Amino acid sequence: MTTMDLTPDELEPEGLPTAVLRLPGVYRPQEDTRLLTRAIAAAGVRPGARVLDLCTGTGAQAVAAAKAGAGSVTAVDLSRRALAAAWLNGVLNRAPVRVRRGGVSSVLRSGPYDVVVANPPYVPCPRPTTPSTRAWDAGPDGRAVLDELCPAAAGLLRPGGFLLLVHSEVADVPRSLSQLQAGGLRAEVVSRTRVPFGPVMRERAPYLRERGLLGPDEDTEVVTVLRADRVA
């Protein structure tokens, strides 16, 4: 029923989950997951913090937040299989992870949180999103979820809290920064890495080139972590 997709050395640094189970149909942890979990470890989550993990997938970020010192972590996703995987990985890693089905709009009244982490779908797609592709497809410009989350982020955070958000630069990082700042948050890029295209980006490359989001010979993308603080 389950497949083990990450080996211990793929989830560095120390303190992150040593193993992550992925149920069939759940988004496979990739470089964006690794970049975000490292950012969580480096962010200084205060002991006992209340954390929200949006678009949790396998729950790797939720477990990372728990290992970093969070007192409670709520992992949210639209996929029931993802929630099952997140719950299993919380148990496997002895992390206080609770799961809840929903999206951005469903959690707006559940705050405030000390920390919000998110790895939303962000791949531009010319076709309507389906349940089987909603873990990565996000509308024509890749911002179907980002344009909902970024303006709402300040309302999810208590004073002194912060958001960590990861997405590819093909989904317009400056726009995310502007939306976060317009909401009163202090936002900046804290980490980025360039990675080769995975299967989805290789398939989507012709469309991205038509949209002017990729150069004619590009076969890599820059994945970026943004941090947005609600200043106390």
Side-chain angles (χ1 to χ4, degrees):
M1 290 293 295
T2 63
T3 58
M4 188 74 74
D5 280 338
L6 294 186
T7 58
D9 62 340
E10 288 179 297
L11 278 176
E12 296 177 346
E14 186 178 353
L16 297 189
T18 57
V20 173
L21 295 175
R22 184 183 70 90
L23 296 175
V26 178
Y27 179 76
R28 183 187 302 273
Q30 300 180 60
E31 190 57 41
D32 52 0
T33 308
R34 288 189 281 272
L35 197 67
L36 183 54
T37 55
R38 290 169 185 148
I40 292 167
V45 176
R46 69 169 180 79
R50 187 174 186 233
V51 176
L52 173 67
D53 176 20
L54 276 169
C55 308
T56 191
T58 61
Q61 296 101 217
V63 173
K67 295 286 187 180
S72 67
V73 185
T74 301
V76 175
D77 206 289
L78 290 172
S79 165
R80 290 183 173 87
R81 288 191 179 192
L83 295 177
W87 181 83
L88 285 170
N89 284 313
V91 172
L92 175 68
N93 288 278
R94 298 181 181 180
V97 176
R98 290 175 284 187
V99 299
R100 173 179 172 182
R101 187 167 185 263
V104 176
S105 60
S106 69
V107 298
L108 290 176
R109 291 189 296 273
S110 67
Y113 293 90
D114 299 295
V115 180
V116 176
V117 300
N119 185 359
Y122 53 73
V123 180
C125 178
R127 302 179 295 274
T129 300
T130 66
S132 64
T133 65
R134 67 187 176 194
W136 53 83
D137 282 345
D141 57 4
R143 296 198 58 88
V145 178
L146 289 167
D147 281 344
E148 185 178 15
L149 172 58
C150 292
L156 290 169
L157 295 168
R158 62 168 42 101
F162 63 88
L163 164 76
L164 291 172
L165 167 66
V166 64
H167 69 80
S168 170
E169 292 196 350
V170 300
D172 198 344
V173 168
R175 181 167 170 177
S176 293
L177 289 170
S178 294
Q179 290 176 337
L180 292 166
Q181 291 162 354
L185 301 177
R186 184 178 61 204
E188 62 181 338
V189 171
V190 293
S191 183
R192 60 161 53 95
T193 187
R194 183 174 289 277
V195 296
F197 286 166
V200 173
M201 287 293 288
R202 283 197 297 271
E203 184 272 332
R204 204 59 48 74
Y207 172 72
L208 297 175
R209 292 188 178 103
E210 288 176 11
R211 292 288 309 274
L213 299 173
L214 284 180
D217 300 318
E218 281 188 88
D219 59 2
T220 61
E221 62 175 323
V222 176
V223 179
T224 302
V225 176
L226 290 68
R227 174 168 173 153
D229 289 80
R230 184 176 175 191
V231 179

